[in-house]
Amino acid sequence: MLTLNLILNILLLGIVPFFWGLALCFAVAGTGFIAFVLVSRKRKNLHAAQLQEISAKCQPFLTELAFEGTIPEEYRDLEKQLRSTNNGKWIILNELIKIRKYFQGEAASYIEEYYTKNRLYKLSLNKLYSTKQHQKIVAINEIMDMNYLGATRSLLQFIHKEKSPELVSNALIALTKLDYKLGLNRIIEQDIYLSDWFQLQVIKILDEGKVYEIPPLVKWTKKSTSHALMGLRLLIFSGAMDQMDELSSLLNHENDKLRLETIKAFRTLEYDEISFTLILRYYNEPTRNKCEIIRTLEVLNYKQNLAFIRLCAKSDDSEIQRVAKEALRRLTPEEIRLGVNAPIIHLFTPTLQRAV
Amino acid sequence: MKIYVFEDEALLLKSLEFRLSKEGYDVNCFSNGLEAKQKLQEELPDLIITDIMMPFLNGLELISFVRNDLKSQVPIIVLSAAGLEKTVLEAFNLGADDFVSKPFSPNELLIRIKKMSHRIKISVM
Amino acid sequence: MDQTLHYISLYVQYGIIFYAIFLMSSYLILSVISIQALYKYLRIAEYTDHKDLLPSDISPKISLLAPAYNEGLTIVENIRSLLSLHYSDFEVIIINDGSKDDTLIKAIEAYKMVPTDFIVSNDIPCKAIRTVYKSSLPEFSNLLLVDKLNGGKADALNAGVNVSTADYITCIDVDCILEQDSLLKLVKPFIDSEKRVIATGGVIRIINSCEIKNGSITQINVPKNLIARMQVLEYLRAFLLGRMAWGNLSGLLIISGAFGMFDKEIVKAVGGYDSTTVGEDMELVVRMRRYMVEKEIPYCVKFIPDPLCWTEAPENTQILGRQRNRWTRGTVETLWLHRKMFFNPKYGIMGLLSYPYWFFFEFLAPILEFIGIVWMIFATIFNLVNWPYFIAITACVYTFAVMLSMLAILAEEITFYQYKNSRDIWKLVGAGLMEPFVYHPFLVWSAMKGHVDKIKGKKSWGEMTRVGLKST
């Protein structure tokens, strides 16, 4: 007992200086953190002030450039002076990118022309070959925003080499922006998960470019579930009605979400013939998909749909009941009597909305 | 001609102000919906350009405020992100006169403004 | 007798040393993970245009659930700021939880609400819903108001889930100020992940002494009130150095009740909020996670570090004490309900790391600290204190606590840089130096009171009095 006491006591005495040392380390670290905050803050403020000043100088002539296509005489010297330094170039590029986002048509092409003519793309390409992830993202975005076609090959190489799925996704989006056909085909080949966010951005680009020529659905479904989903969304986007067999086969896919989107697709494309198949499939689907089937049947024109929706309105599942009852409520008494849907409902489908 | 521009993106607002005043319009810019509302109560412009999504008071409310509360028929051009068809239809229902989707072509906007101002002149005559 | 006491004293001291070292190293590890994760998040977020979500058919519909109880003073303004959030397809569902004041009438009048025969699902049990109102104004066609019998916050949220027609629900405190793009940021992880995302949570920041104009923040300041100022530090530490790491380790157990988004299907599958606990926000996340593990579905819970939601912190000890008392009871209840997960490898990180962390540091820490203080008093009386040792370990713990606060200030500075005024930094540093002496003992005391109340079987929430700062 006594020896144990001794050991503990020595340990305790030895541990006191240790704790003091530790306390000193913590104190130094804490002071260091705050010193860093204050120093970096001063530099940041100085830098920000300079940046703002130069940006403010740029804005008038860049606005002129966007609206008129040329930089007026009175700004030429300033612009040249800015462009002569790397820092100035960098600021101009940043401002260009900010302003580019608001415009399309002529204004956009003026800005892109300026970017190419003044070789600002060199800045972007350098960043693409950088070792820092952050720089790579910046580069991909700049190339995409400025629609710089000269970078197509560099992007393809980049996609081939890069390991990070985030960067590859970004690069695929940029590639699609530069060359729709090449980009889409590359996406089909790429072994990568295509998130909804990714699909949304690609579709946005196709929409802006008014591109409705999409690789056939079969090519997408062969690759993976997320590819199939993307193919499906692109099909809806393009409004193509010639691949219904392939689309119908997706109703047998094992993935719940994919089937849900397939059902939605039939509604958006207003493919009436599918009604009976949907009714047959109804009982094997989870609740979310069941609701989607009801909403789709409401829109599709098939004389037995109404009776079926009425049946659904008596379901034990309150979610299904609600969707069915809402569907019935939207139908006017006249429609219910006739058992068909009036065009008024079709007004709310996305295809027609786009037409409006 | 007096134009009020309501838009929450500072850079776009600045460049619009710069360009429109160069074109000879008297431009007032607002980045916040409520500021806009106060200004409208004080004085009505000849034309309003508004974004839909603005802090605190959205563009739809603003249109409804001009048409229903101020009972004014001043022309309103909606400038908003593309693809929000539902919202745009709502804006037209509430009394917007024209719609330009972002990203937009500046020349198109200028032409639309000119067309509107032409209409104002006729109605004044 | 003397001998035994001496040994007890030694073992207690050793126990405390090991515990302290364990706790400090966990904090440090979490901080390092957090800062790395923050850096990565910001790098990608810089080039993410969340507005791309707006026009797309792919972006999901969201229901905003805002329970309101006696909010008559501010309800009209608060609804307005919810409606002006940036998102295309969303519905705002205000749930009047049997308010005793004019909350309902004010909302109905301001937004021309009319009763509808809305079909409410009854998937989750909740108190009876009297009427569902809908705004008759076309510009507010996405506004719903549910009038129900009083049943508490969890019950009100459950009613909201039943009314919701969207796939995702966002629960918010009606008096919070949300950033315009907060919904966009919160929904993005749901559509950008290969695994199923069941919930996302945002950072809560403290709004006291900030300048607010027309429902949005124009100037961010450090609170003038000392108690609120210390909470700023506490929140910075918790969110930037703590939850960010847990989010990254996929071990996040709590999403603040003030602002979080959930997959409605899973919320319904687990039976909604538990109205018998006062910590319903934490409990729901834990239950949802358990459900996913038990069903063997790959999933994740994501944390968004952007300052999205601003809330008013209590400025006096009484209300703060009640709040912490409630949080403690919530933690205890949740930990007890899900005790099965404690060091259970079946639940992965959640069972092996998150749950023990909460048990040892959130639940046990105040108790141990309290015992420590009592022991010190006892030991002083019987002259058992090894003073050099005691002073050294106190200095060590104190400097560690201060260092962690400074690290939190640094993390804020290099990421979001919200406090532009340099004097604010000094104010925070000052608060950090004082905190371990004044604020922390008070928190320990409140937590102990929470434990005592829990044992006594207290269930109440404690009224939260508002200053009503939004009416400016």
Side-chain angles (χ1 to χ4, degrees), chain B residues 26-56:
Chain B
D26 178 8
V27 189
N28 275 309
C29 291
F30 307 90
S31 54
N32 174 308
L34 258 221
E35 265 172 45
K37 202 169 163 183
Q38 278 161 9
K39 185 70 189 174
L40 282 169
Q41 265 163 336
E42 285 166 26
E43 194 190 0
L44 276 169
D46 301 310
L47 176 74
I48 295 173
I49 300 174
T50 180
D51 190 3
I52 294 282
M53 280 172 192
M54 279 191 295
F56 200 61

PDB file of all heavy atoms in Angstrom, chain B residues 26-56:
ATOM      1  N   ASP B  26     -34.131  58.950 -66.751  1.00  0.00           N
ATOM      2  CA  ASP B  26     -33.899  59.329 -65.366  1.00  0.00           C
ATOM      3  C   ASP B  26     -34.101  58.067 -64.515  1.00  0.00           C
ATOM      4  O   ASP B  26     -35.222  57.626 -64.300  1.00  0.00           O
ATOM      5  CB  ASP B  26     -34.904  60.427 -64.990  1.00  0.00           C
ATOM      6  CG  ASP B  26     -34.769  60.842 -63.551  1.00  0.00           C
ATOM      7  OD1 ASP B  26     -33.805  60.398 -62.902  1.00  0.00           O
ATOM      8  OD2 ASP B  26     -35.622  61.606 -63.088  1.00  0.00           O
ATOM      9  N   VAL B  27     -32.987  57.460 -64.080  1.00  0.00           N
ATOM     10  CA  VAL B  27     -33.074  56.135 -63.458  1.00  0.00           C
ATOM     11  C   VAL B  27     -32.912  56.194 -61.944  1.00  0.00           C
ATOM     12  O   VAL B  27     -32.007  56.843 -61.432  1.00  0.00           O
ATOM     13  CB  VAL B  27     -31.980  55.192 -64.017  1.00  0.00           C
ATOM     14  CG1 VAL B  27     -32.200  53.772 -63.537  1.00  0.00           C
ATOM     15  CG2 VAL B  27     -31.959  55.247 -65.520  1.00  0.00           C
ATOM     16  N   ASN B  28     -33.808  55.521 -61.238  1.00  0.00           N
ATOM     17  CA  ASN B  28     -33.677  55.338 -59.796  1.00  0.00           C
ATOM     18  C   ASN B  28     -33.579  53.850 -59.503  1.00  0.00           C
ATOM     19  O   ASN B  28     -34.396  53.076 -60.005  1.00  0.00           O
ATOM     20  CB  ASN B  28     -34.912  55.880 -59.068  1.00  0.00           C
ATOM     21  CG  ASN B  28     -34.780  57.361 -58.806  1.00  0.00           C
ATOM     22  OD1 ASN B  28     -33.779  57.812 -58.276  1.00  0.00           O
ATOM     23  ND2 ASN B  28     -35.788  58.116 -59.212  1.00  0.00           N
ATOM     24  N   CYS B  29     -32.606  53.456 -58.707  1.00  0.00           N
ATOM     25  CA  CYS B  29     -32.425  52.024 -58.466  1.00  0.00           C
ATOM     26  C   CYS B  29     -32.697  51.639 -57.016  1.00  0.00           C
ATOM     27  O   CYS B  29     -32.372  52.394 -56.101  1.00  0.00           O
ATOM     28  CB  CYS B  29     -30.990  51.618 -58.809  1.00  0.00           C
ATOM     29  SG  CYS B  29     -30.707  51.702 -60.556  1.00  0.00           S
ATOM     30  N   PHE B  30     -33.278  50.467 -56.838  1.00  0.00           N
ATOM     31  CA  PHE B  30     -33.573  49.988 -55.485  1.00  0.00           C
ATOM     32  C   PHE B  30     -33.231  48.504 -55.405  1.00  0.00           C
ATOM     33  O   PHE B  30     -33.537  47.753 -56.314  1.00  0.00           O
ATOM     34  CB  PHE B  30     -35.052  50.173 -55.162  1.00  0.00           C
ATOM     35  CG  PHE B  30     -35.524  51.579 -55.388  1.00  0.00           C
ATOM     36  CD1 PHE B  30     -36.026  51.948 -56.620  1.00  0.00           C
ATOM     37  CD2 PHE B  30     -35.440  52.511 -54.388  1.00  0.00           C
ATOM     38  CE1 PHE B  30     -36.435  53.239 -56.847  1.00  0.00           C
ATOM     39  CE2 PHE B  30     -35.846  53.813 -54.603  1.00  0.00           C
ATOM     40  CZ  PHE B  30     -36.348  54.177 -55.840  1.00  0.00           C
ATOM     41  N   SER B  31     -32.603  48.139 -54.299  1.00  0.00           N
ATOM     42  CA  SER B  31     -32.236  46.726 -54.189  1.00  0.00           C
ATOM     43  C   SER B  31     -33.108  45.995 -53.184  1.00  0.00           C
ATOM     44  O   SER B  31     -32.976  44.809 -52.978  1.00  0.00           O
ATOM     45  CB  SER B  31     -30.763  46.593 -53.798  1.00  0.00           C
ATOM     46  OG  SER B  31     -30.528  47.349 -52.636  1.00  0.00           O
ATOM     47  N   ASN B  32     -34.016  46.686 -52.559  1.00  0.00           N
ATOM     48  CA  ASN B  32     -34.828  46.073 -51.513  1.00  0.00           C
ATOM     49  C   ASN B  32     -36.286  46.422 -51.751  1.00  0.00           C
ATOM     50  O   ASN B  32     -36.631  47.574 -52.023  1.00  0.00           O
ATOM     51  CB  ASN B  32     -34.310  46.613 -50.171  1.00  0.00           C
ATOM     52  CG  ASN B  32     -35.154  46.188 -48.997  1.00  0.00           C
ATOM     53  OD1 ASN B  32     -36.374  46.358 -49.006  1.00  0.00           O
ATOM     54  ND2 ASN B  32     -34.521  45.651 -47.995  1.00  0.00           N
ATOM     55  N   GLY B  33     -37.136  45.427 -51.671  1.00  0.00           N
ATOM     56  CA  GLY B  33     -38.542  45.604 -52.004  1.00  0.00           C
ATOM     57  C   GLY B  33     -39.251  46.672 -51.195  1.00  0.00           C
ATOM     58  O   GLY B  33     -40.081  47.412 -51.719  1.00  0.00           O
ATOM     59  N   LEU B  34     -38.910  46.754 -49.933  1.00  0.00           N
ATOM     60  CA  LEU B  34     -39.635  47.714 -49.090  1.00  0.00           C
ATOM     61  C   LEU B  34     -39.256  49.157 -49.391  1.00  0.00           C
ATOM     62  O   LEU B  34     -40.107  50.042 -49.411  1.00  0.00           O
ATOM     63  CB  LEU B  34     -39.380  47.415 -47.619  1.00  0.00           C
ATOM     64  CG  LEU B  34     -40.472  46.688 -46.854  1.00  0.00           C
ATOM     65  CD1 LEU B  34     -40.617  47.287 -45.482  1.00  0.00           C
ATOM     66  CD2 LEU B  34     -41.807  46.684 -47.574  1.00  0.00           C
ATOM     67  N   GLU B  35     -37.949  49.355 -49.648  1.00  0.00           N
ATOM     68  CA  GLU B  35     -37.503  50.683 -50.074  1.00  0.00           C
ATOM     69  C   GLU B  35     -38.304  51.103 -51.295  1.00  0.00           C
ATOM     70  O   GLU B  35     -38.783  52.226 -51.398  1.00  0.00           O
ATOM     71  CB  GLU B  35     -36.035  50.618 -50.504  1.00  0.00           C
ATOM     72  CG  GLU B  35     -35.022  50.993 -49.453  1.00  0.00           C
ATOM     73  CD  GLU B  35     -33.627  50.682 -49.959  1.00  0.00           C
ATOM     74  OE1 GLU B  35     -33.309  51.008 -51.126  1.00  0.00           O
ATOM     75  OE2 GLU B  35     -32.866  50.080 -49.187  1.00  0.00           O
ATOM     76  N   ALA B  36     -38.451  50.140 -52.193  1.00  0.00           N
ATOM     77  CA  ALA B  36     -39.169  50.393 -53.431  1.00  0.00           C
ATOM     78  C   ALA B  36     -40.583  50.852 -53.136  1.00  0.00           C
ATOM     79  O   ALA B  36     -41.083  51.822 -53.710  1.00  0.00           O
ATOM     80  CB  ALA B  36     -39.187  49.121 -54.260  1.00  0.00           C
ATOM     81  N   LYS B  37     -41.207  50.169 -52.204  1.00  0.00           N
ATOM     82  CA  LYS B  37     -42.596  50.465 -51.883  1.00  0.00           C
ATOM     83  C   LYS B  37     -42.725  51.896 -51.354  1.00  0.00           C
ATOM     84  O   LYS B  37     -43.618  52.639 -51.763  1.00  0.00           O
ATOM     85  CB  LYS B  37     -43.062  49.467 -50.826  1.00  0.00           C
ATOM     86  CG  LYS B  37     -44.553  49.293 -50.760  1.00  0.00           C
ATOM     87  CD  LYS B  37     -44.871  48.107 -49.881  1.00  0.00           C
ATOM     88  CE  LYS B  37     -46.313  48.143 -49.442  1.00  0.00           C
ATOM     89  NZ  LYS B  37     -46.627  47.043 -48.545  1.00  0.00           N
ATOM     90  N   GLN B  38     -41.805  52.253 -50.461  1.00  0.00           N
ATOM     91  CA  GLN B  38     -41.841  53.609 -49.901  1.00  0.00           C
ATOM     92  C   GLN B  38     -41.698  54.649 -50.995  1.00  0.00           C
ATOM     93  O   GLN B  38     -42.439  55.635 -51.050  1.00  0.00           O
ATOM     94  CB  GLN B  38     -40.707  53.780 -48.879  1.00  0.00           C
ATOM     95  CG  GLN B  38     -41.069  53.219 -47.518  1.00  0.00           C
ATOM     96  CD  GLN B  38     -39.839  52.968 -46.665  1.00  0.00           C
ATOM     97  OE1 GLN B  38     -38.737  53.374 -47.040  1.00  0.00           O
ATOM     98  NE2 GLN B  38     -40.021  52.314 -45.537  1.00  0.00           N
ATOM     99  N   LYS B  39     -40.734  54.402 -51.885  1.00  0.00           N
ATOM    100  CA  LYS B  39     -40.477  55.370 -52.952  1.00  0.00           C
ATOM    101  C   LYS B  39     -41.703  55.498 -53.860  1.00  0.00           C
ATOM    102  O   LYS B  39     -42.067  56.606 -54.273  1.00  0.00           O
ATOM    103  CB  LYS B  39     -39.253  54.907 -53.752  1.00  0.00           C
ATOM    104  CG  LYS B  39     -38.797  55.869 -54.806  1.00  0.00           C
ATOM    105  CD  LYS B  39     -38.190  57.127 -54.205  1.00  0.00           C
ATOM    106  CE  LYS B  39     -37.959  58.169 -55.300  1.00  0.00           C
ATOM    107  NZ  LYS B  39     -37.514  59.460 -54.756  1.00  0.00           N
ATOM    108  N   LEU B  40     -42.333  54.357 -54.127  1.00  0.00           N
ATOM    109  CA  LEU B  40     -43.503  54.392 -55.013  1.00  0.00           C
ATOM    110  C   LEU B  40     -44.638  55.194 -54.402  1.00  0.00           C
ATOM    111  O   LEU B  40     -45.395  55.853 -55.115  1.00  0.00           O
ATOM    112  CB  LEU B  40     -43.977  52.960 -55.297  1.00  0.00           C
ATOM    113  CG  LEU B  40     -43.164  52.193 -56.330  1.00  0.00           C
ATOM    114  CD1 LEU B  40     -43.545  50.735 -56.324  1.00  0.00           C
ATOM    115  CD2 LEU B  40     -43.343  52.782 -57.719  1.00  0.00           C
ATOM    116  N   GLN B  41     -44.739  55.108 -53.083  1.00  0.00           N
ATOM    117  CA  GLN B  41     -45.797  55.862 -52.421  1.00  0.00           C
ATOM    118  C   GLN B  41     -45.579  57.364 -52.559  1.00  0.00           C
ATOM    119  O   GLN B  41     -46.519  58.132 -52.676  1.00  0.00           O
ATOM    120  CB  GLN B  41     -45.869  55.479 -50.944  1.00  0.00           C
ATOM    121  CG  GLN B  41     -46.904  54.412 -50.698  1.00  0.00           C
ATOM    122  CD  GLN B  41     -46.721  53.731 -49.361  1.00  0.00           C
ATOM    123  OE1 GLN B  41     -45.622  53.707 -48.806  1.00  0.00           O
ATOM    124  NE2 GLN B  41     -47.787  53.191 -48.834  1.00  0.00           N
ATOM    125  N   GLU B  42     -44.277  57.725 -52.553  1.00  0.00           N
ATOM    126  CA  GLU B  42     -43.966  59.146 -52.677  1.00  0.00           C
ATOM    127  C   GLU B  42     -44.190  59.633 -54.098  1.00  0.00           C
ATOM    128  O   GLU B  42     -44.796  60.662 -54.324  1.00  0.00           O
ATOM    129  CB  GLU B  42     -42.496  59.397 -52.299  1.00  0.00           C
ATOM    130  CG  GLU B  42     -42.239  59.335 -50.813  1.00  0.00           C
ATOM    131  CD  GLU B  42     -40.745  59.234 -50.520  1.00  0.00           C
ATOM    132  OE1 GLU B  42     -39.928  59.707 -51.362  1.00  0.00           O
ATOM    133  OE2 GLU B  42     -40.392  58.666 -49.470  1.00  0.00           O
ATOM    134  N   GLU B  43     -43.669  58.906 -55.046  1.00  0.00           N
ATOM    135  CA  GLU B  43     -43.712  59.383 -56.411  1.00  0.00           C
ATOM    136  C   GLU B  43     -43.764  58.211 -57.390  1.00  0.00           C
ATOM    137  O   GLU B  43     -43.034  57.227 -57.212  1.00  0.00           O
ATOM    138  CB  GLU B  43     -42.444  60.216 -56.670  1.00  0.00           C
ATOM    139  CG  GLU B  43     -42.523  61.022 -57.922  1.00  0.00           C
ATOM    140  CD  GLU B  43     -41.173  61.626 -58.280  1.00  0.00           C
ATOM    141  OE1 GLU B  43     -40.203  61.407 -57.544  1.00  0.00           O
ATOM    142  OE2 GLU B  43     -41.104  62.291 -59.322  1.00  0.00           O
ATOM    143  N   LEU B  44     -44.608  58.329 -58.412  1.00  0.00           N
ATOM    144  CA  LEU B  44     -44.686  57.253 -59.403  1.00  0.00           C
ATOM    145  C   LEU B  44     -43.810  57.562 -60.608  1.00  0.00           C
ATOM    146  O   LEU B  44     -43.770  58.697 -61.071  1.00  0.00           O
ATOM    147  CB  LEU B  44     -46.137  57.085 -59.846  1.00  0.00           C
ATOM    148  CG  LEU B  44     -47.007  56.209 -58.956  1.00  0.00           C
ATOM    149  CD1 LEU B  44     -48.445  56.338 -59.358  1.00  0.00           C
ATOM    150  CD2 LEU B  44     -46.553  54.759 -59.032  1.00  0.00           C
ATOM    151  N   PRO B  45     -43.087  56.564 -61.113  1.00  0.00           N
ATOM    152  CA  PRO B  45     -42.272  56.794 -62.313  1.00  0.00           C
ATOM    153  C   PRO B  45     -43.104  56.597 -63.579  1.00  0.00           C
ATOM    154  O   PRO B  45     -44.313  56.363 -63.504  1.00  0.00           O
ATOM    155  CB  PRO B  45     -41.223  55.702 -62.192  1.00  0.00           C
ATOM    156  CG  PRO B  45     -41.965  54.586 -61.535  1.00  0.00           C
ATOM    157  CD  PRO B  45     -43.004  55.193 -60.636  1.00  0.00           C
ATOM    158  N   ASP B  46     -42.449  56.689 -64.731  1.00  0.00           N
ATOM    159  CA  ASP B  46     -43.147  56.425 -65.997  1.00  0.00           C
ATOM    160  C   ASP B  46     -43.033  54.962 -66.388  1.00  0.00           C
ATOM    161  O   ASP B  46     -43.758  54.476 -67.248  1.00  0.00           O
ATOM    162  CB  ASP B  46     -42.539  57.299 -67.101  1.00  0.00           C
ATOM    163  CG  ASP B  46     -42.643  58.767 -66.757  1.00  0.00           C
ATOM    164  OD1 ASP B  46     -43.746  59.201 -66.402  1.00  0.00           O
ATOM    165  OD2 ASP B  46     -41.609  59.456 -66.784  1.00  0.00           O
ATOM    166  N   LEU B  47     -42.075  54.279 -65.765  1.00  0.00           N
ATOM    167  CA  LEU B  47     -41.880  52.861 -66.095  1.00  0.00           C
ATOM    168  C   LEU B  47     -41.208  52.159 -64.915  1.00  0.00           C
ATOM    169  O   LEU B  47     -40.349  52.734 -64.254  1.00  0.00           O
ATOM    170  CB  LEU B  47     -40.984  52.743 -67.341  1.00  0.00           C
ATOM    171  CG  LEU B  47     -40.603  51.326 -67.776  1.00  0.00           C
ATOM    172  CD1 LEU B  47     -41.780  50.631 -68.432  1.00  0.00           C
ATOM    173  CD2 LEU B  47     -39.432  51.353 -68.739  1.00  0.00           C
ATOM    174  N   ILE B  48     -41.621  50.903 -64.682  1.00  0.00           N
ATOM    175  CA  ILE B  48     -40.990  50.138 -63.618  1.00  0.00           C
ATOM    176  C   ILE B  48     -40.366  48.872 -64.205  1.00  0.00           C
ATOM    177  O   ILE B  48     -41.003  48.178 -65.005  1.00  0.00           O
ATOM    178  CB  ILE B  48     -42.018  49.723 -62.535  1.00  0.00           C
ATOM    179  CG1 ILE B  48     -42.570  50.966 -61.835  1.00  0.00           C
ATOM    180  CG2 ILE B  48     -41.400  48.775 -61.517  1.00  0.00           C
ATOM    181  CD1 ILE B  48     -43.703  50.663 -60.876  1.00  0.00           C
ATOM    182  N   ILE B  49     -39.118  48.612 -63.851  1.00  0.00           N
ATOM    183  CA  ILE B  49     -38.496  47.331 -64.199  1.00  0.00           C
ATOM    184  C   ILE B  49     -38.252  46.613 -62.881  1.00  0.00           C
ATOM    185  O   ILE B  49     -37.608  47.161 -61.993  1.00  0.00           O
ATOM    186  CB  ILE B  49     -37.160  47.545 -64.925  1.00  0.00           C
ATOM    187  CG1 ILE B  49     -37.382  48.331 -66.223  1.00  0.00           C
ATOM    188  CG2 ILE B  49     -36.497  46.203 -65.228  1.00  0.00           C
ATOM    189  CD1 ILE B  49     -36.099  48.707 -66.934  1.00  0.00           C
ATOM    190  N   THR B  50     -38.789  45.410 -62.746  1.00  0.00           N
ATOM    191  CA  THR B  50     -38.624  44.745 -61.459  1.00  0.00           C
ATOM    192  C   THR B  50     -38.227  43.280 -61.571  1.00  0.00           C
ATOM    193  O   THR B  50     -38.632  42.580 -62.495  1.00  0.00           O
ATOM    194  CB  THR B  50     -39.901  44.864 -60.593  1.00  0.00           C
ATOM    195  OG1 THR B  50     -39.683  44.212 -59.352  1.00  0.00           O
ATOM    196  CG2 THR B  50     -41.105  44.243 -61.273  1.00  0.00           C
ATOM    197  N   ASP B  51     -37.423  42.858 -60.631  1.00  0.00           N
ATOM    198  CA  ASP B  51     -37.078  41.449 -60.478  1.00  0.00           C
ATOM    199  C   ASP B  51     -38.225  40.793 -59.708  1.00  0.00           C
ATOM    200  O   ASP B  51     -39.012  41.484 -59.063  1.00  0.00           O
ATOM    201  CB  ASP B  51     -35.770  41.375 -59.669  1.00  0.00           C
ATOM    202  CG  ASP B  51     -35.190  39.977 -59.646  1.00  0.00           C
ATOM    203  OD1 ASP B  51     -35.762  39.083 -60.295  1.00  0.00           O
ATOM    204  OD2 ASP B  51     -34.175  39.775 -58.961  1.00  0.00           O
ATOM    205  N   ILE B  52     -38.333  39.461 -59.770  1.00  0.00           N
ATOM    206  CA  ILE B  52     -39.386  38.809 -58.986  1.00  0.00           C
ATOM    207  C   ILE B  52     -38.904  38.535 -57.568  1.00  0.00           C
ATOM    208  O   ILE B  52     -39.572  38.829 -56.593  1.00  0.00           O
ATOM    209  CB  ILE B  52     -39.830  37.480 -59.643  1.00  0.00           C
ATOM    210  CG1 ILE B  52     -40.514  37.742 -60.973  1.00  0.00           C
ATOM    211  CG2 ILE B  52     -40.751  36.697 -58.709  1.00  0.00           C
ATOM    212  CD1 ILE B  52     -41.929  38.204 -60.903  1.00  0.00           C
ATOM    213  N   MET B  53     -37.696  37.979 -57.473  1.00  0.00           N
ATOM    214  CA  MET B  53     -37.229  37.607 -56.140  1.00  0.00           C
ATOM    215  C   MET B  53     -36.384  38.713 -55.543  1.00  0.00           C
ATOM    216  O   MET B  53     -35.260  38.959 -55.944  1.00  0.00           O
ATOM    217  CB  MET B  53     -36.431  36.325 -56.225  1.00  0.00           C
ATOM    218  CG  MET B  53     -37.351  35.159 -56.284  1.00  0.00           C
ATOM    219  SD  MET B  53     -36.490  33.689 -56.602  1.00  0.00           S
ATOM    220  CE  MET B  53     -37.856  32.619 -56.957  1.00  0.00           C
ATOM    221  N   MET B  54     -36.966  39.384 -54.582  1.00  0.00           N
ATOM    222  CA  MET B  54     -36.251  40.456 -53.913  1.00  0.00           C
ATOM    223  C   MET B  54     -36.393  40.256 -52.420  1.00  0.00           C
ATOM    224  O   MET B  54     -37.351  39.652 -51.968  1.00  0.00           O
ATOM    225  CB  MET B  54     -36.848  41.798 -54.309  1.00  0.00           C
ATOM    226  CG  MET B  54     -36.365  42.291 -55.639  1.00  0.00           C
ATOM    227  SD  MET B  54     -36.839  43.977 -55.880  1.00  0.00           S
ATOM    228  CE  MET B  54     -38.591  43.857 -55.942  1.00  0.00           C
ATOM    229  N   PRO B  55     -35.428  40.792 -51.664  1.00  0.00           N
ATOM    230  CA  PRO B  55     -35.551  40.624 -50.221  1.00  0.00           C
ATOM    231  C   PRO B  55     -36.803  41.302 -49.678  1.00  0.00           C
ATOM    232  O   PRO B  55     -37.144  42.405 -50.102  1.00  0.00           O
ATOM    233  CB  PRO B  55     -34.292  41.316 -49.662  1.00  0.00           C
ATOM    234  CG  PRO B  55     -33.425  41.593 -50.811  1.00  0.00           C
ATOM    235  CD  PRO B  55     -34.233  41.518 -52.042  1.00  0.00           C
ATOM    236  N   PHE B  56     -37.417  40.622 -48.796  1.00  0.00           N
ATOM    237  CA  PHE B  56     -38.557  41.086 -48.012  1.00  0.00           C
ATOM    238  C   PHE B  56     -39.860  41.279 -48.775  1.00  0.00           C
ATOM    239  O   PHE B  56     -40.899  40.823 -48.343  1.00  0.00           O
ATOM    240  CB  PHE B  56     -38.225  42.357 -47.235  1.00  0.00           C
ATOM    241  CG  PHE B  56     -39.170  42.544 -46.099  1.00  0.00           C
ATOM    242  CD1 PHE B  56     -39.235  41.579 -45.116  1.00  0.00           C
ATOM    243  CD2 PHE B  56     -40.014  43.620 -46.048  1.00  0.00           C
ATOM    244  CE1 PHE B  56     -40.132  41.698 -44.089  1.00  0.00           C
ATOM    245  CE2 PHE B  56     -40.921  43.743 -45.016  1.00  0.00           C
ATOM    246  CZ  PHE B  56     -40.968  42.775 -44.031  1.00  0.00           C
TER     247      PHE B  56
END
